[in-house]
Amino acid sequence: MQFLISLSNIRSKYKQYKGYIKNSGFYFAGSFLGMIINLILNPFIALNMSYADFAITGYFTSFNSLLSPIISFTFISYYSRHYFLLNNSQRERLRNTILIALVWFSLAVSACSLLGIYLYFVIKHVSFPFFPYALLSISAIFLANFYTFKLVDLKLKREAKNYFKLSLCQSVLAAFFVILLVVVIKGGALGKMTAATLPLFFFALYDFRNMLSKWEFDRKFFLDSLRFCWPLSLASMLSYFFSGVDRAMLEPLGDVRQLGLYNVAVGIASYLAVFNTTLDSTFQPDVLQSIAERKKKKTIKLIGVIMLMNTIPILLFIVFAPVLVGVLTFNRYTDAADFARILALKNITESLYYSMSTVLIGYGLSKITLLNKIMGTVISLGLFKFLICKFGFYGAAWGQAFSFLTLAALSMLFLFSKLAMQRIHEQKS
């Protein structure tokens, strides 16, 4: 009898979470297949790229966290925040407004960013060549805005199947260009960065045409998005000081081999982000909706599920890192395993921080997000400077893990304080 009751409960739970399971399957399949494609390609990339190639690509990629938020101005966060608060016609008008803003606004900021990097290279006497790597790096960031916007729109609509198709197409096209430009033509760092940019160009054209229903620009939406997004954009730019500034601090050490190994480890550890991306794609709309409906217990439960399911594969990777790194690099860069183990921990602390960041955005606390990042940046810079001076490249790896842990702790502190103040205010009134 108890067995039948348990079986009935399982069926009931399955029906309750059937939508989650189905959508999660599509999100995971899209991200997982993309990861598998990259994992298959990784050994061939390792065979056709030198320490210097990895050092160059990793160095320029590190600027993404600094420049991407200002180029996109986090307009997509504004769209996510208001999606469930608007009717269909308002959503369409907002979508069109953001798409147009992403063209002219982001293009102008991209040009300014390119000039800024050039001045930095001149002032700091950076040893790596500026052109064409900086141009490719900025172009990829600009073009990625449209692809990312399309994915977010599909997530919010809960069109998991279309999300899967788009993700898979992007992964396949990117793999084609990697094989052509890195493995066949042997273009090294130039081929790798070009292969990352070209697919985004085609998808930017497709996504813009697919999403823009009419050429309309709502000035009110745009001005309101600027007010909402500038703290988030500035806060996101500060992410550079948690996962990108380490490369800028390590470059003056002049050890190209170690920097190459470090960037190999960064690349391999980044594959683990597929789990958090999948979970975020599955649960983010529900987290935002639970906040909009003031269901705090549901919000906490969803974040707990995200963290648990994200941590398990990361811990398994840490245990088997030497073997996995050897397989992924044809045993050419096995010395990167220790770096990869440490950097894998960053995916756990980063996942916790971004979950808390989603909650802050859901509550409309964009300025608190900025204050949190400013305080965290000061602490992070101190950590990186101390750890790199004491432990070199290993210190930089630990700095990434600790910096995001600091951010997560500050986010929780600010959130709980704000909610407590709101509760006191409600009781008084």
Side-chain angles (χ1 to χ4, degrees), residues 32 150 177 281 340 427:
F32 183 74
K150 180 62 177 178
F177 282 115
S281 299
Q427 290 174 351

Side-chain angles (χ1 to χ4, degrees), residues 240-261:
Y240 171 73
F241 298 99
F242 302 91
S243 60
V245 73
D246 52 338
R247 261 61 63 86
M249 290 183 170
L250 292 171
E251 185 271 335
L253 298 181
D255 193 336
V256 174
R257 183 182 184 278
Q258 282 290 90
L259 184 57
L261 286 172

Side-chain angles (χ1 to χ4, degrees), residues 60 63 67 112-122 130 134 138:
F60 281 94
F63 287 107
L67 301 177
C112 294
S113 299
L114 192 62
L115 177 61
I117 294 179
Y118 176 75
L119 293 175
Y120 175 81
F121 268 55
V122 173
F130 172 81
I138 296 294

